[in-house]
């Protein structure tokens, strides 16, 4: 049920983001989804890519700090209230969203959201109990 | 571990003091006769060498400072003609023009003996292979260790500093058992080894002897666990001799034995110059009592330590100095508070167990000093959640404030952005123009 996300520490300096994407390009890694969170001094780039191992190796070789985190990819109805269908049961049971970002789905008409929860096991349990479609990691990388 | 020179290293203190006094008197007579600087200095103080009748009288003699050495640059402090000098070294000159020191053949011989004592105290024997990553050249570290290792009969790999990847291959293939170098370079070596897929713990090292810059007790713990060896602190400076002035023994690792049959140590109050009793913390002062080419009298080292005369479990009777915690000239005064880089290092290590690649940057905005501590983000402390990194920054700031009483901004930086040094680490960037 889980998908693996890689995250990269970036100082706020011109050109650093481009260095990451160029490294991935040269390693022939495709970015499926990304989010950039920043403060005044540094940022964290989070990525879903088609080949985690290759991406991590290439980035580490270039001296970047790379972390790995388990996240969940959830299919969200492309209708008013679609996101609430996912969030409401979680809210009721006290699971908190650490962060989230959207995924471009070239196939189905529904949106895909990447979530990082404070309690991932509980979140998966709640989502499946409420028949919400959680997309498998391997499917996410190759969508 | 065998003691290299049993007679001298375990000598009863009374006998040691008698030797010190006789050697001190000879040295004072000699510098008075051959070094104009000392002749003038004694005359100004109204004393002659014959006034020094006990070791306690030493405190009547004026200090020698780094400035005195600069004023007599390059050869003014030499006590023998150049034809008797067979080696010249110089200090790194990190704080100004270098100071030049010379050695006679006997001085080199003494140095080799003292370094052999050090290596033996640190766990080396004639069966060991020693990987010497101290820089060879004008810096005393490389050649000092080299001659000592040869005297001990160990096999030396004179690899020097730099060329780090090659060093890793040598360590892997040649299987050295003793490692020597500056602690910051050794940590860099370990980092590069890791990148190359070589684990230090799979290498053959049993002990490391590290010095030439102050390093904290917590850094010792880090090095020992990361490298899988026992880490000993060694102390020395070119003005006194080079490495080999004092060393921790592998049995106790608690204080560095000063070879008192060659040097007389004192601790003084750096402000007043008053001599402090055993146990009190102040500036280390050394008088060399066997040097021929470059004898130095009451040299103010700027290093902060204290002295402990209690017997050690290793059997050595020589007084022990506490691990140097900082230098009076490395000391930052930030809004009136004394701060040493090693204190910041302690906070970092206690806090997040961070490999201490850090740097202190001091600026002045208006009339206010600001301290920024740059800390490299390693895989170990990295988190994908901003919140966690900010909590960590806040916690380190708070601890610095609590332990040292100064406010500091902690700034996380990318790995490898703090410049790696092959010699002494650059821990402080002071941008204040005062």
């Amino acid at each position: 049920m889980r998908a693996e996300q890689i995250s990269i520490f970036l100082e706020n300096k011109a050109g650093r983001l481009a260095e990451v994407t160029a490294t991935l390009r040269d390693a022939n890694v495709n970015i499926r989804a990304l989010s950039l969170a920043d403060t005044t001094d540094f940022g964290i780039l989070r990525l879903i890519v088609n080949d985690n191992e290759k991406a991590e190796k290439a980035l580490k070789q270039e001296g970047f700090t790379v972390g790995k985190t388990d996240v969940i990819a959830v299919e969200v109805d492309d209708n008013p209230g679609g996101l609430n269908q996912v969030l409401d049961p979680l809210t009721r049971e006290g699971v908190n969203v650490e962060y989230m970002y959207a995924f471009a789905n070239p196939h189905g008409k529904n949106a895909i959201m990447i979530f990082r929860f404070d309690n991932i096991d509980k979140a998966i349990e709640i989502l499946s109990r409420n028949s919400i479609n959680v997309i498998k990691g391997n499917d996410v990388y190759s969508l | 571990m065998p003691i290299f020179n049993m007679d001298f290293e375990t000598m009863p203190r009374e006998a040691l003091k008698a030797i010190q006094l006789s050697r001190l008197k000879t040295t004072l007579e000699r510098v008075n006769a051959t070094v104009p600087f000392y002749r003038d200095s004694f005359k100004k103080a109204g004393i002659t060498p014959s006034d020094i009748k006990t070791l306690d009288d030493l405190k009547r003699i004026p200090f020698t400072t780094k400035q005195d050495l600069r004023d007599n640059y390059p050869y003014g402090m030499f006590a023998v003609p150049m034809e008797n000098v067979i080696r010249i070294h110089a200090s790194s000159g990190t704080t100004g023009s270098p100071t030049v020191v010379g050695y006679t053949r006997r001085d080199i011989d003494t140095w080799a003996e003292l370094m052999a004592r050090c290596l033996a105290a640190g766990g080396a024997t004639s069966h060991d292979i020693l990987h010497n990553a101290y820089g060879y050249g004008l810096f005393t570290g490389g050649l000092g260790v080299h001659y000592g290792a040869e005297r001990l009969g160990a096999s030396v790999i004179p690899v020097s500093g730099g060329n780090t990847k090659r060093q890793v291959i040598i360590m892997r293939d040649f299987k050295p058992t003793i490692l020597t170098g500056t602690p910051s370079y050794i940590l860099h070596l370990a980092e590069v080894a890791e990148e190359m897929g070589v684990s230090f713990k799979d290498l053959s090292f049993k002990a490391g002897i590290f010095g030439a810059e102050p390093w904290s007790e917590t850094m010792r713990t880090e090095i020992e666990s990361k490298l899988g060896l026992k880490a000993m602190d060694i102390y020395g400076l070119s003005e006194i001799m080079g490495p080999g002035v004092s060393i921790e023994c592998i049995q106790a690792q608690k204080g560095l034995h000063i070879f008192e049959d060659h040097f007389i140590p004192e601790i003084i109050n750096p402000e007043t110059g008053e001599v402090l009793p055993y146990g009190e913390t102040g500036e280390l002062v050394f008088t060399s009592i066997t040097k021929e080419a470059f004898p130095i009298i009451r040299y103010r080292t700027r290093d902060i330590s204290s002295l402990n005369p209690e017997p050690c479990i290793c059997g050595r009777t020589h007084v022990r100095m506490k691990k140097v915690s900082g230098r009076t000239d490395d000391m930052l005064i930030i809004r009136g508070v004394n701060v040493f880089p090693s204190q910041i290092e302690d906070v970092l290590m206690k806090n997040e167990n961070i490999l201490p690649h850090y740097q202190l940057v001091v600026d002045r905005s208006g009339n206010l000093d600001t301290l920024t501590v740059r800390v490299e983000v390693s895989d170990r402390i990295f988190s994908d959640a901003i919140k966690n990194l900010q909590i960590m920054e806040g916690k380190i700031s708070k601890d610095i404030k609590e332990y040292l009483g100064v406010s500091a901004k902690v700034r996380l930086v990318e790995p490898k952005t703090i410049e790696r040094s092959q010699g002494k680490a650059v821990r402080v960037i002071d941008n204040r123009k005062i």
Side-chain angles (χ1 to χ4, degrees), chain A residues 11 16 41 46 65 99 116, chain B residues 377 384 390 409 414-415:
Chain A
E11 267 179 78
R16 277 314 261 170
D41 294 336
R46 303 164 187 139
T65 300
Y99 54 78
R116 162 95 144 100
Chain B
V377 171
D384 63 309
Q390 284 178 329
K409 178 174 167 37
E414 285 177 28

Side-chain angles (χ1 to χ4, degrees), chain B residues 5 11 13 18 68 101 107 116 132 136 246 283 318 344 368 387 389 399 409 417 424:
Chain B
N5 189 330
M11 181 175 271
R13 293 202 62 78
D68 294 329
V101 296
D107 290 336
N132 186 18
Y136 281 63
S246 65
E283 182 179 336
H318 295 208
I344 301 281
L368 199 65
K387 185 178 68 184
L389 293 179
D399 282 357
K409 178 174 167 37
T417 46
K424 304 182 187 205

Side-chain angles (χ1 to χ4, degrees), chain A residues 5 7-11 13 16 37-39 41-42 44 46 60 63 65-67 69 98-99 116, chain B residues 374-375 377-380 382-390 393 409-417:
Chain A
Q5 164 201 273
S7 40
I8 300 138
F9 180 86
L10 289 179
E11 267 179 78
K13 282 190 290 201
R16 277 314 261 170
D38 68 336
T39 71
D41 294 336
F42 66 85
I44 298 172
R46 303 164 187 139
K60 280 201 164 162
T65 300
V66 184
T69 322
E98 301 264 356
Y99 54 78
R116 162 95 144 100
Chain B
R374 302 176 72 217
V375 180
V377 171
S378 63
D379 290 351
R380 198 153 38 146
F382 177 57
S383 160
D384 63 309
I386 292 248
K387 185 178 68 184
N388 296 345
L389 293 179
Q390 284 178 329
E393 283 183 337
K409 178 174 167 37
V410 174
R411 180 159 188 172
L412 299 177
V413 298
E414 285 177 28
K416 312 280 155 60
T417 46

Side-chain angles (χ1 to χ4, degrees), chain A residues 14-141:
Chain A
R16 277 314 261 170
L17 181 57
E19 281 170 45
V20 172
T21 52
T23 303
L24 294 174
R25 174 197 64 204
D26 296 344
N28 201 23
V29 171
N30 194 19
I31 301 171
R32 313 293 310 155
L34 70 79
S35 121
L36 181 62
D38 68 336
T39 71
T40 46
D41 294 336
F42 66 85
I44 298 172
L45 178 66
R46 303 164 187 139
L47 299 171
I48 304 286
V49 297
N50 65 342
D51 188 337
N52 270 327
E53 220 166 284
K54 223 202 273 183
E56 194 191 359
K57 195 168 161 232
L59 289 166
K60 280 201 164 162
Q61 222 154 40
E62 289 301 307
F64 288 101
T65 300
V66 184
K68 280 196 258 183
T69 322
D70 281 349
V71 292
I72 298 179
V74 178
E75 196 172 349
V76 179
D77 260 353
D78 190 13
N79 281 314
L83 192 51
N84 272 90
Q85 281 176 17
V86 177
L87 293 178
D88 289 345
L90 293 161
T91 308
R92 272 198 299 274
E93 302 201 34
V95 175
N96 189 32
V97 176
E98 301 264 356
Y99 54 78
M100 55 189 273
Y101 51 102
F103 195 96
N105 182 359
H107 305 303
K109 67 177 175 60
N110 289 344
I112 296 173
M113 303 287 305
I114 304 287
F115 286 96
R116 162 95 144 100
F117 295 109
D118 59 353
N119 184 340
I120 192 164
D121 292 326
K122 197 169 168 192
I124 290 172
E125 191 265 313
I126 294 167
L127 292 171
S128 61
R129 193 158 18 94
N130 287 274
S131 312
I132 292 160
N133 188 22
V134 176
I135 301 167
K136 280 197 211 114
N138 279 338
D139 296 341
V140 177
Y141 312 140

Side-chain angles (χ1 to χ4, degrees), chain B residues 332-352:
Chain B
L332 288 166
I333 302 179
I334 296 166
R335 276 170 262 149
V337 180
N338 298 350
V339 175
F340 292 103
S342 57
Q343 293 173 307
I344 301 281
E345 185 176 301
D346 262 336
V347 171
L348 290 176
M349 298 281 300
K350 277 183 188 135
N351 226 295
E352 297 295 334

